[in-house]
Amino acid sequence: MRVVVAADNAGVLLKNEVRDLLKTDERVTEVIDLGVDSPDDDRAYPIFGLAAAEKIANGEADRGVLVCGTGIGVAISANKVPGVRATVAHDSYSAERSVKSNNCQIITFGARVIGPELAKKIVTEWLGYTFDPGSPSAAKVAHITEYEQVHAAS
Ligand SMILES: O=C(CO)[C@H](O)COP(=O)(O)O
């Protein structure tokens, strides 16, 4: 599994902790770090939410972990990229359902909301979940995809 990570300056320290964890996980074949690299880099969160989502959409990554202050801004940004589903999930159950119910490729965290140990525990669990395309949830997710396709910008 190839995992893209990114954060703004509010999320960089948590992003780096998650990135280092991912590098030790045998299920992860590649970690793509889009930055920021330092809290001094004040580029805004949409740059990173969109860039990471593009990696998923174009097939360069399978999953993403994004961090900002709340996790909300990077999630909103990532969800603007067609085909990408991203959500904040600060608890185990939401993280599980984000994959099993919603087929989300991206999980986001707020570094001002969640501590590193809980975030890393959730990421470790989240890597183990897969979406079942034969499940009753599949038609619900397909409804979203159909909307995107009908309303795609030409
Ligand atoms: O949390 C953020 C966006 O959701 C970001 O890290 C900070 O954004 P701001 O509150 O607009 O500065």
Side-chain angles (χ1 to χ4, degrees), residues 26-122:
E26 62 186 15
R27 296 167 294 184
V28 176
T29 55
E30 184 183 5
V31 180
I32 304 163
D33 185 353
L34 300 181
V36 298
D37 298 322
S38 158
D40 298 329
D41 184 339
D42 65 356
R43 286 179 291 161
Y45 62 84
I47 295 168
F48 301 96
L50 292 165
E54 291 279 1
K55 292 280 183 195
I56 304 274
N58 69 22
E60 290 178 63
D62 305 299
R63 295 276 190 100
V65 182
L66 306 179
V67 189
C68 63
T70 61
I72 298 169
V74 284
I76 293 171
S77 306
N79 278 311
K80 297 300 180 190
V81 177
V84 171
R85 292 168 296 277
T87 188
V88 185
H90 288 145
D91 66 277
S92 290
Y93 183 71
S94 297
E96 178 179 1
R97 294 322 310 176
S98 77
V99 177
K100 292 185 176 179
S101 290
N102 310 112
N103 199 11
C104 284
Q105 308 100 325
I106 294 179
I107 191 169
T108 76
F109 296 120
R112 295 170 178 157
V113 182
I114 190 171
E117 297 311 318
L118 179 55
K120 289 188 288 186
K121 180 178 190 295
I122 290 171

